[in-house]
Amino acid sequence: MAVRLYYNAADSRARASTEWHDNWISKSGLKARFWTDKAISQFLGKPQKAGPIMAWTQKEVRRVENTHEFKQWLVKRREWLRAHGKLTAEE
């Protein structure tokens, strides 16, 4: 694995962002994964303070996304998105 050195403020911000996203996922991140507000409250509950942003841990999100109940919900969600033209047949 290569070691990356950060020399300026932009690199430092990029590193901080990468580290944050390795541990946390925000509401917009969940929405990009087809979550709805109702599913977030049903499966995850309240977010935690993650710096200036409220978020959920990546570990908790992965745990929930691997449950049978969530997988069934996601199948229905994808069907709804396809029926409403928000997803292509391949997605």
Side-chain angles (χ1 to χ4, degrees):
M1 182 169 139
V3 174
R4 172 143 186 190
L5 299 176
Y6 296 92
Y7 295 105
N8 59 37
D11 282 344
S12 180
R13 284 190 302 274
R15 179 181 49 157
S17 176
T18 299
E19 289 173 1
W20 190 91
H21 284 93
D22 285 346
N23 295 307
W24 299 96
I25 187 163
S26 65
K27 188 173 191 176
S28 62
L30 292 172
K31 297 263 182 150
R33 293 160 77 146
F34 309 121
W35 285 73
T36 62
D37 289 336
K38 184 176 178 181
I40 291 168
S41 65
Q42 177 184 349
F43 291 108
L44 291 173
K46 301 271 185 211
Q48 301 173 34
K49 185 88 169 138
I53 298 170
M54 299 298 284
W56 295 265
T57 64
Q58 287 279 359
K59 183 178 179 180
E60 177 68 9
V61 172
R62 282 193 301 272
R63 184 191 66 74
V64 168
E65 288 180 340
N66 285 323
T67 64
H68 180 69
E69 184 180 19
F70 181 83
K71 288 178 183 179
Q72 286 181 321
W73 175 86
L74 187 58
V75 166
K76 291 178 185 175
R77 174 75 173 140
R78 287 178 181 270
E79 288 171 2
W80 185 93
L81 290 168
R82 282 188 200 99
H84 290 83
K86 309 223 184 243
L87 276 183
T88 62
E90 298 86 41
E91 292 182 279

